[in-house]
Amino acid sequence: MPTVQIKFPHNAPVPSTLTLVEGNRLRVKIEAVAKTYKLGTRIDAPSILAAQPPVHNARADSWQFDFVAQQPGLTKLSIVAVQGTGLSVMPAAITVQVEKSISLPAEKTTEGMLVRLLLAENFSPDGAPRNVAWKASDVLTSMRWMRRVIENRLKSGKPEEFMARGATTIADIIKANDRGMVQFHGFPTYPTLNQNMQENLTDYLQIANNGLHGKRTAYQQFVQAAITVASEPLAADPTSTGLYAWRSEGSGSPGPDFKVHATLMGNTFYTHARLRKQD
């Protein structure tokens, strides 16, 4: 009995379990099977995973199969011979878990602005320099500290110390600028962001929502951390007086009133000699 292997287009064998995200397209092939065998698919829950009609390539005697993940859920997929006998296909069944895709909050909301700032100000899984070990738990903590900085500045009674005279909202703090000097690169013109920042955000989401990408889990954690921090109740300040600034590690203090608290994920966080948190 001939045995054939289900493979990805790049020839790696398809495992017996797969995770996809709704909207993902799964493309696989089986080689060296003549058209005298008519191959087809069986899916336990076609509402979860939809199959396109298989295509046979006569020149290569190969079959191509395309599937689309339609909604979250669990199903099983099999490729079988509906015409012809004696063909064994491996894996005999593939368990497919389809997960819900993630998206950023609307850009014109406070949460949407915070999410985009947190993603822009933290290293992505592929963006960390060699001296920074990327860890999802550290990214989550870093983002919580950053939100603390913004909230502490807003409630400080001295927003003018951060180029935000008269600030009454988080947006006022994030978009602060003074004659071309800015607090957060790229954000004075928010919701308009420069092309590089926008492309990065798009890339992060695409990888986080690609179940077949090798770094999907890390990017999902990265994006989800920003969404969580922007929407959860404000986390406790790690200091007794309050965090008021962060800068890239090695770039120096923001000024003489700022005292180093700690460096985390490539950013150094600072307290303030005069200002105190208001909670």
Side-chain angles (χ1 to χ4, degrees), residues 73-117:
L74 185 69
T75 188
K76 284 191 175 182
L77 156 69
S78 298
I79 296 176
V80 297
V82 296
Q83 179 178 299
T85 59
L87 183 68
S88 176
V89 178
M90 298 298 293
I94 302 169
T95 300
V96 181
Q97 176 72 54
V98 177
E99 297 183 355
K100 184 174 179 58
S101 62
I102 58 176
S103 58
L104 303 186
E107 63 182 8
K108 292 187 178 180
T109 64
T110 297
E111 286 183 7
M113 178 185 288
L114 273 171
V115 166
R116 289 163 176 83
L117 176 70

Side-chain angles (χ1 to χ4, degrees), residues 79-249:
I79 296 176
V80 297
V82 296
Q83 179 178 299
T85 59
L87 183 68
S88 176
V89 178
M90 298 298 293
I94 302 169
T95 300
V96 181
Q97 176 72 54
V98 177
E99 297 183 355
K100 184 174 179 58
S101 62
I102 58 176
S103 58
L104 303 186
E107 63 182 8
K108 292 187 178 180
T109 64
T110 297
E111 286 183 7
M113 178 185 288
L114 273 171
V115 166
R116 289 163 176 83
L117 176 70
L118 295 173
L119 291 173
E121 289 288 322
N122 283 275
F123 289 122
S124 71
D126 286 314
R130 291 184 179 180
N131 65 321
V132 176
W134 196 92
K135 290 176 58 178
S137 58
D138 285 348
V139 168
L140 182 63
T141 299
S142 172
M143 289 181 176
R144 284 174 171 154
W145 289 3
M146 288 179 175
R147 183 178 168 194
R148 255 292 166 181
V149 168
I150 293 164
E151 297 275 359
N152 288 346
R153 288 183 177 189
L154 179 62
K155 298 172 184 176
S156 68
K158 295 283 187 178
E160 62 271 17
E161 300 236 5
F162 310 102
M163 302 181 188
R165 184 178 297 275
T168 59
T169 66
I170 285 175
D172 292 335
I173 297 296
I174 293 176
K175 297 175 71 172
N177 70 93
D178 183 8
R179 291 170 291 182
M181 299 290 290
V182 305
Q183 288 291 302
F184 302 108
H185 172 70
F187 279 83
T189 58
Y190 188 87
T192 300
L193 297 173
N194 66 48
Q195 182 177 351
N196 184 61
M197 296 174 76
Q198 193 57 58
E199 287 176 353
N200 284 342
L201 292 171
T202 299
D203 288 345
Y204 300 158
L205 268 180
Q206 286 180 342
I207 298 174
N209 284 323
N210 182 355
L212 299 176
H213 196 285
K215 293 189 177 180
R216 183 250 173 167
T217 297
Y219 276 89
Q220 182 189 41
Q221 292 170 332
F222 180 54
V223 174
Q224 188 59 55
I227 295 171
T228 297
V229 171
S231 59
E232 69 183 0
L234 183 62
D237 198 300
T239 73
S240 59
T241 58
L243 294 175
Y244 282 90
W246 75 82
R247 295 195 75 185
S248 298
E249 182 179 6

Side-chain angles (χ1 to χ4, degrees), residues 24 41-52 66-78 96 98:
N24 285 177
T41 59
R42 292 176 183 168
I43 300 173
D44 288 353
S47 62
I48 295 173
L49 187 70
Q52 304 297 315
D66 285 283
F67 307 90
V68 178
Q70 299 195 115
Q71 65 182 27
L74 185 69
T75 188
K76 284 191 175 182
L77 156 69
S78 298
V96 181
V98 177

